[in-house]
Amino acid sequence: MREVIIALISSSITIVITSFFNYHFQIMKELRNEAVKYKTEILRKVYTPLLKILVAAVVPGDGYDGITKEAFFEIEEVIKGNYELVDPDLDSIIWAIKKDIRWEHYEESLKLFDKNKLLLHHVELNFNFYRKQLGLPFNSAKLKKEMK
């Protein structure tokens, strides 16, 4: 009789421990899957469209001198459409450029903004960061340069 009780107790303890670890690892897996989903959404809806707009502002041979108001308005539309995915640093950069545009002559359309390349560097860094996190090809030089 004593062996039966010991066997029942040890089986019960094993079942409880197994259930706990199974539950714990299942929760961790779901959290990782949600994180991957959000990172994919951020990359696809925010940083990829922004990088496309900024790359269009690069002049072959001259490089990046800044963006026009029209390009900024395109960027602002991407931000407005996906505001829940925008990080606070990007938001503050956008607000700083918006402030510069308001202080400048609004009619002058050839004026360039983001001459300090703050927006460009932030978008390149995060674009490559999220690609690395998702296991996609990324530019490691952009990550190393920005992390310094």
Side-chain angles (χ1 to χ4, degrees):
M1 181 71 171
R2 184 177 165 137
E3 291 87 21
V4 172
I5 293 174
I6 291 174
L8 286 173
I9 290 174
S10 66
S11 296
S12 299
I13 290 173
T14 303
I15 290 171
V16 168
I17 290 172
T18 304
S19 297
F20 171 76
F21 280 115
N22 187 31
Y23 175 76
H24 176 72
F25 288 124
Q26 185 65 28
I27 293 291
M28 295 304 287
K29 181 181 176 184
E30 288 177 17
L31 288 175
R32 275 192 307 273
N33 288 342
E34 282 294 312
V36 166
K37 184 181 114 187
Y38 284 125
K39 288 175 184 176
T40 303
E41 197 173 359
I42 290 168
L43 179 65
R44 191 172 54 82
K45 291 184 176 180
V46 177
Y47 288 107
T48 301
L50 292 184
L51 191 60
K52 286 179 182 178
I53 294 167
L54 292 172
V55 166
V58 175
V59 178
D62 288 343
Y64 178 86
D65 291 329
I67 55 173
T68 62
K69 284 186 298 201
E70 290 74 22
F72 176 76
F73 294 146
E74 288 180 47
I75 289 170
E76 199 172 30
E77 286 302 314
V78 171
I79 299 295
K80 284 179 184 176
N82 302 291
Y83 196 73
E84 69 279 3
L85 302 173
V86 175
D87 67 279
D89 291 338
L90 178 58
D91 192 42
S92 65
I93 292 169
I94 295 299
W95 277 100
I97 293 173
K98 190 183 291 189
K99 182 178 157 188
D100 286 346
I101 288 174
R102 289 191 184 197
W103 282 106
E104 295 297 325
H105 298 290
Y106 199 75
E107 297 80 30
E108 190 179 332
S109 64
L110 297 178
K111 175 85 172 138
L112 295 176
F113 300 91
D114 190 41
K115 289 183 180 182
N116 59 1
K117 301 180 184 180
L118 195 59
L119 178 62
L120 177 67
H121 291 312
H122 180 82
V123 170
E124 285 179 334
L125 171 68
N126 283 286
F127 178 79
N128 285 290
F129 171 77
Y130 284 112
R131 289 184 63 89
K132 180 180 179 183
Q133 293 289 309
L134 294 169
L136 299 170
F138 65 96
N139 187 342
S140 60
K142 296 284 183 184
L143 287 176
K144 289 177 185 173
K145 183 172 79 170
E146 295 297 325
M147 293 295 181
K148 289 181 180 179

Coordinates of all heavy atoms in Angstrom, one line a residue, residues 14-99:
T14 N 5.1 14.9 -10.8 CA 5.6 14.9 -12.2 C 4.6 15.6 -13.1 O 5.0 16.4 -14.0 CB 5.9 13.5 -12.7 OG1 6.8 12.8 -11.8 CG2 6.5 13.5 -14.1
I15 N 3.3 15.3 -13.0 CA 2.3 15.9 -13.8 C 2.2 17.4 -13.6 O 2.2 18.2 -14.5 CB 0.9 15.2 -13.6 CG1 1.0 13.8 -14.1 CG2 -0.2 16.0 -14.2 CD1 -0.2 13.0 -13.8
V16 N 2.3 17.8 -12.3 CA 2.2 19.2 -12.0 C 3.4 20.0 -12.5 O 3.3 21.0 -13.1 CB 2.1 19.4 -10.4 CG1 2.3 20.9 -10.0 CG2 0.8 19.0 -10.0
I17 N 4.6 19.4 -12.3 CA 5.9 20.0 -12.8 C 5.8 20.1 -14.4 O 6.1 21.2 -15.0 CB 7.1 19.3 -12.3 CG1 7.3 19.5 -10.8 CG2 8.4 19.8 -13.1 CD1 8.3 18.7 -10.2
T18 N 5.4 19.0 -15.0 CA 5.4 19.0 -16.5 C 4.3 20.1 -17.0 O 4.6 20.8 -18.0 CB 5.0 17.6 -17.0 OG1 5.9 16.7 -16.5 CG2 5.0 17.6 -18.5
S19 N 3.2 20.1 -16.4 CA 2.2 21.1 -16.7 C 2.7 22.5 -16.6 O 2.5 23.4 -17.4 CB 0.9 20.9 -15.9 OG 0.4 19.6 -16.2
F20 N 3.4 22.8 -15.5 CA 3.9 24.1 -15.2 C 4.9 24.5 -16.3 O 4.8 25.6 -16.9 CB 4.6 24.2 -13.9 CG 5.3 25.5 -13.6 CD1 4.6 26.7 -13.4 CD2 6.7 25.5 -13.7 CE1 5.3 27.8 -13.2 CE2 7.4 26.7 -13.6 CZ 6.7 27.9 -13.3
F21 N 5.9 23.7 -16.6 CA 6.9 24.0 -17.6 C 6.2 24.1 -19.0 O 6.6 25.0 -19.8 CB 8.0 23.0 -17.6 CG 9.0 23.2 -16.6 CD1 9.1 22.3 -15.5 CD2 9.8 24.3 -16.5 CE1 10.1 22.5 -14.5 CE2 10.7 24.6 -15.5 CZ 10.8 23.6 -14.5
N22 N 5.3 23.2 -19.3 CA 4.6 23.3 -20.6 C 3.8 24.7 -20.7 O 3.9 25.3 -21.8 CB 3.6 22.2 -20.8 CG 3.0 22.1 -22.1 OD1 3.6 22.5 -23.1 ND2 1.8 21.6 -22.2
Y23 N 3.1 25.1 -19.7 CA 2.4 26.3 -19.7 C 3.4 27.5 -19.8 O 3.2 28.4 -20.6 CB 1.6 26.5 -18.4 CG 0.9 27.8 -18.2 CD1 -0.2 28.1 -18.9 CD2 1.5 28.8 -17.4 CE1 -0.8 29.3 -18.8 CE2 0.8 30.0 -17.2 CZ -0.3 30.3 -17.9 OH -0.9 31.5 -17.8
H24 N 4.5 27.5 -19.1 CA 5.5 28.5 -19.1 C 6.1 28.7 -20.5 O 6.2 29.8 -21.0 CB 6.6 28.3 -18.1 CG 7.7 29.2 -18.1 ND1 7.5 30.5 -17.6 CD2 9.0 29.1 -18.5 CE1 8.7 31.2 -17.8 NE2 9.6 30.4 -18.3
F25 N 6.5 27.6 -21.1 CA 7.1 27.6 -22.4 C 6.1 28.0 -23.5 O 6.4 28.7 -24.5 CB 7.8 26.3 -22.8 CG 9.1 26.1 -22.0 CD1 9.2 25.0 -21.2 CD2 10.1 27.1 -22.0 CE1 10.4 24.8 -20.4 CE2 11.2 26.9 -21.2 CZ 11.4 25.8 -20.5
Q26 N 4.9 27.6 -23.3 CA 3.8 28.0 -24.3 C 3.6 29.5 -24.2 O 3.4 30.2 -25.3 CB 2.5 27.3 -24.0 CG 1.4 27.5 -25.0 CD 1.8 27.0 -26.4 OE1 2.5 26.0 -26.5 NE2 1.3 27.6 -27.4
I27 N 3.6 30.1 -23.0 CA 3.4 31.6 -22.9 C 4.6 32.3 -23.5 O 4.4 33.3 -24.2 CB 3.3 31.9 -21.4 CG1 2.0 31.4 -20.8 CG2 3.4 33.4 -21.2 CD1 0.7 32.1 -21.3
M28 N 5.8 31.8 -23.3 CA 7.0 32.4 -23.9 C 7.0 32.4 -25.4 O 7.3 33.3 -26.1 CB 8.3 31.7 -23.3 CG 8.5 31.9 -21.8 SD 8.5 33.7 -21.3 CE 10.1 34.1 -21.9
K29 N 6.5 31.2 -25.9 CA 6.4 31.1 -27.4 C 5.4 32.1 -27.9 O 5.7 32.7 -29.0 CB 6.0 29.7 -27.7 CG 5.9 29.4 -29.2 CD 5.5 28.0 -29.5 CE 5.3 27.8 -31.0 NZ 4.8 26.4 -31.2
E30 N 4.3 32.2 -27.3 CA 3.3 33.2 -27.8 C 3.8 34.6 -27.7 O 3.5 35.4 -28.6 CB 2.0 33.1 -26.9 CG 1.2 31.8 -27.2 CD 0.0 31.6 -26.4 OE1 -0.5 32.6 -25.8 OE2 -0.5 30.5 -26.3
L31 N 4.5 35.0 -26.7 CA 5.1 36.3 -26.6 C 6.1 36.5 -27.7 O 6.1 37.6 -28.3 CB 5.8 36.5 -25.2 CG 4.8 36.6 -24.0 CD1 5.6 36.7 -22.7 CD2 3.9 37.8 -24.1
R32 N 6.9 35.6 -28.0 CA 7.9 35.7 -29.1 C 7.2 35.9 -30.4 O 7.6 36.7 -31.2 CB 8.8 34.5 -29.1 CG 10.0 34.6 -28.2 CD 11.1 33.5 -28.5 NE 10.5 32.2 -28.5 CZ 10.4 31.4 -27.5 NH1 10.8 31.8 -26.3 NH2 9.9 30.2 -27.6
N33 N 6.1 35.1 -30.6 CA 5.4 35.2 -31.9 C 4.7 36.6 -32.0 O 4.7 37.1 -33.1 CB 4.3 34.1 -32.0 CG 4.9 32.7 -32.2 OD1 6.1 32.6 -32.6 ND2 4.1 31.7 -31.9
E34 N 4.2 37.1 -30.9 CA 3.6 38.5 -31.0 C 4.7 39.5 -31.3 O 4.5 40.4 -32.0 CB 2.9 38.8 -29.6 CG 1.6 38.1 -29.5 CD 0.6 38.7 -30.5 OE1 0.4 39.9 -30.6 OE2 -0.1 37.8 -31.1
A35 N 5.9 39.4 -30.6 CA 7.0 40.3 -30.9 C 7.4 40.3 -32.3 O 7.6 41.3 -32.9 CB 8.1 40.0 -30.0
V36 N 7.5 39.1 -32.9 CA 7.9 39.0 -34.3 C 6.8 39.6 -35.2 O 7.1 40.3 -36.2 CB 8.1 37.5 -34.7 CG1 8.1 37.3 -36.2 CG2 9.4 36.9 -34.0
K37 N 5.5 39.4 -34.8 CA 4.5 40.0 -35.6 C 4.5 41.5 -35.6 O 4.4 42.2 -36.6 CB 3.1 39.5 -35.1 CG 1.9 40.0 -35.8 CD 0.6 39.6 -35.2 CE -0.1 40.8 -34.7 NZ -1.3 40.6 -34.0
Y38 N 4.8 42.1 -34.4 CA 4.9 43.6 -34.3 C 6.1 44.1 -35.0 O 6.1 45.1 -35.7 CB 4.9 44.0 -32.9 CG 3.5 44.0 -32.2 CD1 3.3 43.2 -31.1 CD2 2.4 44.6 -32.8 CE1 2.1 43.2 -30.5 CE2 1.2 44.6 -32.2 CZ 1.0 43.8 -31.1 OH -0.2 43.8 -30.5
K39 N 7.2 43.4 -34.9 CA 8.5 43.9 -35.6 C 8.3 43.8 -37.1 O 8.7 44.7 -37.8 CB 9.6 43.0 -35.2 CG 10.1 43.2 -33.8 CD 11.2 42.3 -33.4 CE 11.6 42.5 -31.9 NZ 12.6 41.5 -31.5
T40 N 7.6 42.8 -37.6 CA 7.3 42.7 -39.0 C 6.4 43.8 -39.5 O 6.7 44.5 -40.5 CB 6.7 41.3 -39.3 OG1 7.5 40.3 -38.9 CG2 6.4 41.2 -40.8
E41 N 5.4 44.1 -38.7 CA 4.5 45.2 -39.0 C 5.2 46.6 -39.0 O 5.0 47.4 -39.9 CB 3.3 45.2 -38.0 CG 2.1 46.0 -38.4 CD 1.0 45.8 -37.5 OE1 1.1 45.0 -36.5 OE2 -0.1 46.4 -37.8
I42 N 6.1 46.8 -38.0 CA 6.8 48.1 -37.9 C 7.7 48.2 -39.1 O 7.8 49.3 -39.8 CB 7.6 48.1 -36.6 CG1 6.7 48.3 -35.4 CG2 8.6 49.2 -36.7 CD1 7.3 48.1 -34.1
L43 N 8.4 47.1 -39.5 CA 9.3 47.2 -40.6 C 8.5 47.4 -41.9 O 8.9 48.3 -42.7 CB 10.1 45.9 -40.7 CG 11.1 45.7 -41.9 CD1 12.2 46.8 -41.8 CD2 11.6 44.3 -42.0
R44 N 7.4 46.7 -42.1 CA 6.7 46.8 -43.3 C 5.9 48.1 -43.5 O 5.8 48.6 -44.6 CB 5.7 45.6 -43.4 CG 5.1 45.4 -44.7 CD 4.3 44.1 -44.8 NE 3.3 43.9 -43.7 CZ 2.1 44.5 -43.8 NH1 1.7 45.2 -44.8 NH2 1.2 44.3 -42.8
K45 N 5.3 48.6 -42.4 CA 4.4 49.7 -42.5 C 5.1 51.1 -42.2 O 4.6 52.1 -42.6 CB 3.2 49.6 -41.6 CG 2.3 48.5 -42.0 CD 1.1 48.4 -41.1 CE 0.1 47.4 -41.5 NZ -1.1 47.4 -40.7
V46 N 6.2 51.1 -41.5 CA 6.9 52.3 -41.1 C 8.2 52.5 -41.8 O 8.4 53.4 -42.7 CB 7.0 52.5 -39.6 CG1 7.7 53.8 -39.2 CG2 5.7 52.4 -38.9
Y47 N 9.2 51.7 -41.5 CA 10.5 51.9 -41.9 C 10.8 51.6 -43.4 O 11.6 52.4 -44.0 CB 11.5 51.2 -41.0 CG 11.6 51.8 -39.7 CD1 11.0 51.2 -38.6 CD2 12.1 53.1 -39.5 CE1 11.0 51.9 -37.3 CE2 12.1 53.7 -38.3 CZ 11.6 53.1 -37.2 OH 11.6 53.7 -36.0
T48 N 10.1 50.6 -44.0 CA 10.3 50.4 -45.4 C 9.8 51.6 -46.3 O 10.5 52.1 -47.1 CB 9.7 49.1 -45.8 OG1 10.4 48.0 -45.1 CG2 9.9 48.8 -47.3
P49 N 8.6 52.0 -46.0 CA 8.1 53.2 -46.8 C 8.9 54.5 -46.6 O 9.2 55.2 -47.5 CB 6.6 53.4 -46.3 CG 6.2 52.1 -45.7 CD 7.5 51.5 -45.2
L50 N 9.3 54.7 -45.3 CA 10.1 55.9 -45.1 C 11.5 55.8 -45.8 O 11.9 56.8 -46.3 CB 10.4 56.0 -43.6 CG 9.1 56.4 -42.7 CD1 9.6 56.6 -41.3 CD2 8.4 57.6 -43.2
L51 N 12.1 54.6 -45.8 CA 13.4 54.5 -46.4 C 13.2 54.7 -47.9 O 14.1 55.3 -48.6 CB 14.0 53.1 -46.1 CG 15.5 53.0 -46.5 CD1 16.4 54.0 -45.9 CD2 16.0 51.6 -46.2
K52 N 12.2 54.2 -48.5 CA 11.9 54.4 -49.9 C 11.8 55.9 -50.3 O 12.4 56.4 -51.3 CB 10.7 53.7 -50.4 CG 10.8 52.2 -50.5 CD 9.5 51.6 -50.9 CE 9.6 50.1 -51.0 NZ 8.3 49.4 -51.4
I53 N 11.1 56.7 -49.4 CA 11.0 58.1 -49.6 C 12.4 58.8 -49.5 O 12.7 59.6 -50.3 CB 10.0 58.7 -48.7 CG1 8.6 58.2 -49.0 CG2 10.0 60.2 -48.7 CD1 7.6 58.5 -47.9
L54 N 13.1 58.4 -48.5 CA 14.4 59.0 -48.2 C 15.4 58.7 -49.3 O 16.2 59.5 -49.7 CB 14.9 58.7 -46.9 CG 14.1 59.3 -45.7 CD1 14.6 58.7 -44.4 CD2 14.2 60.8 -45.7
V55 N 15.4 57.4 -49.8 CA 16.3 57.0 -50.8 C 16.0 57.8 -52.1 O 16.9 58.1 -52.9 CB 16.3 55.5 -51.1 CG1 16.9 55.1 -52.4 CG2 16.9 54.8 -49.9
A56 N 14.8 58.1 -52.4 CA 14.4 58.9 -53.5 C 15.0 60.3 -53.5 O 15.2 61.0 -54.5 CB 12.9 59.0 -53.7
A57 N 15.4 60.8 -52.3 CA 16.0 62.1 -52.1 C 17.5 62.1 -52.3 O 18.1 63.1 -52.3 CB 15.6 62.7 -50.7
V58 N 18.1 60.9 -52.4 CA 19.5 60.8 -52.6 C 19.8 61.1 -54.1 O 19.2 60.5 -55.0 CB 20.0 59.4 -52.3 CG1 21.5 59.2 -52.6 CG2 19.8 59.1 -50.8
V59 N 20.7 62.0 -54.3 CA 21.2 62.4 -55.6 C 22.4 61.6 -56.0 O 23.4 61.7 -55.3 CB 21.5 63.9 -55.7 CG1 21.9 64.3 -57.1 CG2 20.3 64.7 -55.3
P60 N 22.4 60.9 -57.1 CA 23.5 60.1 -57.5 C 24.8 61.0 -57.7 O 24.7 62.0 -58.3 CB 23.1 59.4 -58.8 CG 21.7 59.4 -58.8 CD 21.3 60.7 -58.0
G61 N 25.8 60.6 -57.0 CA 27.1 61.4 -57.1 C 27.2 62.4 -56.0 O 28.3 62.7 -55.5
D62 N 26.1 63.0 -55.6 CA 26.1 64.0 -54.5 C 25.7 63.5 -53.2 O 26.2 64.0 -52.2 CB 25.1 65.2 -54.9 CG 25.7 66.0 -56.0 OD1 26.9 66.0 -56.3 OD2 24.8 66.8 -56.6
G63 N 24.9 62.5 -53.1 CA 24.5 61.9 -51.9 C 23.2 62.6 -51.4 O 22.4 63.1 -52.1
Y64 N 23.0 62.5 -50.1 CA 21.8 63.0 -49.4 C 22.0 64.4 -48.9 O 22.9 64.6 -48.0 CB 21.4 62.0 -48.3 CG 20.2 62.4 -47.5 CD1 18.9 62.1 -48.0 CD2 20.3 63.1 -46.3 CE1 17.8 62.4 -47.2 CE2 19.2 63.4 -45.6 CZ 17.9 63.1 -46.0 OH 16.8 63.4 -45.3
D65 N 21.3 65.4 -49.4 CA 21.4 66.7 -48.9 C 20.2 67.1 -48.0 O 20.3 68.1 -47.3 CB 21.5 67.7 -50.0 CG 22.8 67.6 -50.8 OD1 23.8 67.2 -50.2 OD2 22.8 67.8 -52.0
G66 N 19.2 66.3 -48.0 CA 18.0 66.7 -47.2 C 16.8 66.3 -48.0 O 16.8 65.8 -49.1
I67 N 15.6 66.6 -47.4 CA 14.3 66.3 -48.1 C 13.6 67.6 -48.3 O 13.7 68.6 -47.6 CB 13.5 65.4 -47.3 CG1 13.2 65.9 -45.9 CG2 14.1 64.0 -47.3 CD1 12.3 65.0 -45.0
T68 N 12.7 67.6 -49.3 CA 11.9 68.8 -49.6 C 10.6 68.7 -48.7 O 10.4 67.7 -48.1 CB 11.4 68.8 -51.1 OG1 10.7 67.6 -51.3 CG2 12.6 68.9 -52.0
K69 N 9.9 69.8 -48.7 CA 8.6 69.7 -47.9 C 7.7 68.7 -48.5 O 7.0 68.0 -47.7 CB 7.9 71.1 -48.0 CG 8.6 72.2 -47.2 CD 7.7 73.4 -47.2 CE 7.7 74.0 -48.6 NZ 7.3 75.4 -48.7
E70 N 7.7 68.5 -49.8 CA 6.8 67.5 -50.4 C 7.1 66.1 -49.9 O 6.2 65.3 -49.5 CB 6.8 67.6 -51.9 CG 6.2 68.8 -52.5 CD 7.0 70.1 -52.3 OE1 8.2 70.0 -52.1 OE2 6.4 71.2 -52.3
A71 N 8.4 65.8 -49.8 CA 8.9 64.5 -49.3 C 8.5 64.4 -47.9 O 8.1 63.3 -47.4 CB 10.4 64.3 -49.6
F72 N 8.7 65.4 -47.1 CA 8.3 65.4 -45.7 C 6.8 65.1 -45.5 O 6.5 64.4 -44.6 CB 8.7 66.7 -45.0 CG 8.3 66.7 -43.6 CD1 9.0 66.0 -42.6 CD2 7.1 67.4 -43.2 CE1 8.5 65.9 -41.3 CE2 6.7 67.4 -41.9 CZ 7.4 66.7 -40.9
F73 N 6.0 65.7 -46.4 CA 4.6 65.5 -46.2 C 4.2 64.0 -46.5 O 3.3 63.5 -45.9 CB 3.8 66.4 -47.1 CG 3.9 67.9 -46.7 CD1 3.9 68.9 -47.7 CD2 4.0 68.3 -45.4 CE1 4.0 70.2 -47.3 CE2 4.1 69.6 -45.0 CZ 4.1 70.6 -46.0
E74 N 5.0 63.4 -47.5 CA 4.8 62.0 -47.7 C 5.1 61.2 -46.5 O 4.4 60.2 -46.1 CB 5.6 61.5 -48.9 CG 5.2 62.0 -50.2 CD 6.1 61.5 -51.3 OE1 6.5 60.3 -51.3 OE2 6.5 62.3 -52.2
I75 N 6.3 61.5 -45.9 CA 6.7 60.9 -44.6 C 5.7 61.0 -43.5 O 5.4 60.1 -42.8 CB 8.1 61.4 -44.2 CG1 9.2 60.9 -45.2 CG2 8.4 61.0 -42.8 CD1 10.5 61.6 -45.0
E76 N 5.2 62.3 -43.4 CA 4.2 62.5 -42.4 C 2.9 61.7 -42.6 O 2.3 61.2 -41.6 CB 3.8 64.0 -42.4 CG 3.2 64.5 -41.2 CD 3.1 66.0 -41.1 OE1 2.9 66.7 -42.2 OE2 3.1 66.6 -40.0
E77 N 2.5 61.5 -43.8 CA 1.4 60.6 -44.1 C 1.6 59.2 -43.7 O 0.7 58.5 -43.1 CB 1.0 60.6 -45.6 CG 0.3 61.9 -46.0 CD -0.9 62.2 -45.3 OE1 -1.8 61.3 -45.1 OE2 -1.1 63.4 -44.8
V78 N 2.8 58.7 -43.9 CA 3.2 57.3 -43.4 C 3.1 57.3 -41.9 O 2.5 56.3 -41.3 CB 4.6 56.9 -43.9 CG1 5.0 55.6 -43.3 CG2 4.6 56.8 -45.4
I79 N 3.6 58.3 -41.3 CA 3.6 58.4 -39.8 C 2.2 58.4 -39.3 O 1.8 57.7 -38.3 CB 4.4 59.6 -39.3 CG1 5.9 59.5 -39.7 CG2 4.3 59.7 -37.8 CD1 6.7 58.3 -39.2
K80 N 1.4 59.3 -39.8 CA 0.0 59.4 -39.4 C -0.8 58.1 -39.6 O -1.6 57.8 -38.7 CB -0.7 60.6 -40.1 CG -0.3 61.9 -39.7 CD -1.1 63.0 -40.5 CE -0.6 64.4 -40.2 NZ -1.3 65.4 -41.1
G81 N -0.6 57.4 -40.6 CA -1.3 56.2 -40.9 C -0.9 55.0 -40.0 O -1.6 54.1 -39.9
N82 N 0.3 55.1 -39.4 CA 0.8 54.0 -38.6 C 1.3 54.6 -37.2 O 2.3 54.1 -36.8 CB 1.9 53.3 -39.3 CG 1.4 52.7 -40.6 OD1 0.6 51.8 -40.6 ND2 1.8 53.3 -41.7
Y83 N 0.7 55.6 -36.7 CA 1.2 56.2 -35.5 C 1.5 55.3 -34.3 O 2.4 55.5 -33.5 CB 0.3 57.4 -35.1 CG 1.0 58.4 -34.2 CD1 2.0 59.2 -34.7 CD2 0.7 58.4 -32.8 CE1 2.6 60.1 -33.8 CE2 1.4 59.3 -32.0 CZ 2.3 60.1 -32.5 OH 3.0 61.0 -31.7
E84 N 0.6 54.3 -34.2 CA 0.8 53.3 -33.1 C 2.1 52.5 -33.2 O 2.5 52.0 -32.2 CB -0.4 52.4 -33.0 CG -0.5 51.4 -34.1 CD -1.1 51.9 -35.4 OE1 -1.4 53.1 -35.5 OE2 -1.3 51.1 -36.3
L85 N 2.7 52.5 -34.3 CA 3.9 51.8 -34.5 C 5.2 52.6 -34.5 O 6.3 52.1 -34.6 CB 3.9 51.0 -35.9 CG 2.7 50.1 -36.1 CD1 2.7 49.6 -37.5 CD2 2.8 48.9 -35.1
V86 N 5.0 53.9 -34.4 CA 6.2 54.9 -34.4 C 6.8 55.0 -33.1 O 6.1 55.2 -32.1 CB 5.7 56.2 -34.9 CG1 6.8 57.3 -34.9 CG2 5.1 56.1 -36.3
D87 N 8.1 54.9 -33.0 CA 8.8 55.0 -31.8 C 9.0 56.5 -31.4 O 9.0 57.3 -32.3 CB 10.2 54.3 -31.8 CG 11.2 54.9 -32.8 OD1 11.1 54.7 -34.0 OD2 12.0 55.7 -32.3
P88 N 9.2 56.8 -30.1 CA 9.3 58.2 -29.7 C 10.4 59.0 -30.3 O 10.3 60.2 -30.5 CB 9.5 58.1 -28.2 CG 8.9 56.7 -27.8 CD 9.2 55.8 -29.0
D89 N 11.5 58.3 -30.6 CA 12.7 59.1 -31.2 C 12.3 59.5 -32.6 O 12.6 60.7 -33.0 CB 13.9 58.2 -31.3 CG 14.5 57.9 -29.9 OD1 14.2 58.7 -29.0 OD2 15.2 56.9 -29.8
L90 N 11.7 58.7 -33.4 CA 11.2 59.1 -34.7 C 10.2 60.2 -34.6 O 10.2 61.1 -35.4 CB 10.7 57.9 -35.5 CG 10.2 58.1 -36.9 CD1 11.2 58.7 -37.8 CD2 9.6 56.8 -37.5
D91 N 9.3 60.1 -33.7 CA 8.3 61.1 -33.5 C 8.9 62.4 -33.2 O 8.5 63.5 -33.8 CB 7.3 60.6 -32.4 CG 6.1 61.5 -32.4 OD1 5.5 61.8 -33.4 OD2 5.6 61.8 -31.2
S92 N 9.9 62.5 -32.3 CA 10.5 63.7 -32.0 C 11.3 64.3 -33.2 O 11.3 65.5 -33.4 CB 11.4 63.6 -30.8 OG 12.5 62.7 -31.0
I93 N 11.9 63.5 -34.0 CA 12.6 63.9 -35.2 C 11.6 64.6 -36.2 O 11.8 65.6 -36.7 CB 13.4 62.8 -35.9 CG1 14.5 62.3 -35.0 CG2 13.9 63.2 -37.2 CD1 15.2 61.0 -35.4
I94 N 10.5 63.9 -36.3 CA 9.4 64.4 -37.2 C 8.9 65.8 -36.7 O 8.7 66.7 -37.5 CB 8.3 63.4 -37.4 CG1 8.7 62.1 -38.0 CG2 7.1 64.0 -38.1 CD1 9.3 62.3 -39.4
W95 N 8.7 65.9 -35.4 CA 8.2 67.2 -34.9 C 9.3 68.3 -35.0 O 8.9 69.4 -35.3 CB 7.8 67.0 -33.4 CG 6.5 66.5 -33.3 CD1 6.1 65.2 -33.0 CD2 5.2 67.2 -33.4 NE1 4.7 65.1 -33.0 CE2 4.2 66.3 -33.2 CE3 4.9 68.5 -33.7 CZ2 2.8 66.7 -33.3 CZ3 3.6 68.9 -33.7 CH2 2.6 68.0 -33.6
A96 N 10.5 67.9 -34.9 CA 11.6 69.0 -35.1 C 11.6 69.4 -36.5 O 11.7 70.7 -36.8 CB 12.9 68.4 -34.7
I97 N 11.5 68.5 -37.5 CA 11.4 69.0 -38.9 C 10.2 69.8 -39.2 O 10.2 70.8 -39.9 CB 11.5 67.7 -39.8 CG1 12.9 67.1 -39.7 CG2 11.3 68.1 -41.3 CD1 13.0 65.7 -40.4
K98 N 9.1 69.4 -38.6 CA 7.8 70.1 -38.8 C 8.0 71.5 -38.2 O 7.5 72.5 -38.9 CB 6.7 69.4 -38.1 CG 5.3 69.9 -38.4 CD 4.2 69.2 -37.6 CE 4.1 67.8 -38.0 NZ 2.9 67.2 -37.4
K99 N 8.7 71.7 -37.1 CA 8.9 73.0 -36.5 C 9.8 73.8 -37.5 O 9.5 75.0 -37.7 CB 9.6 72.8 -35.2 CG 9.9 74.1 -34.4 CD 10.5 73.8 -33.1 CE 11.3 74.9 -32.6 NZ 12.0 74.6 -31.4

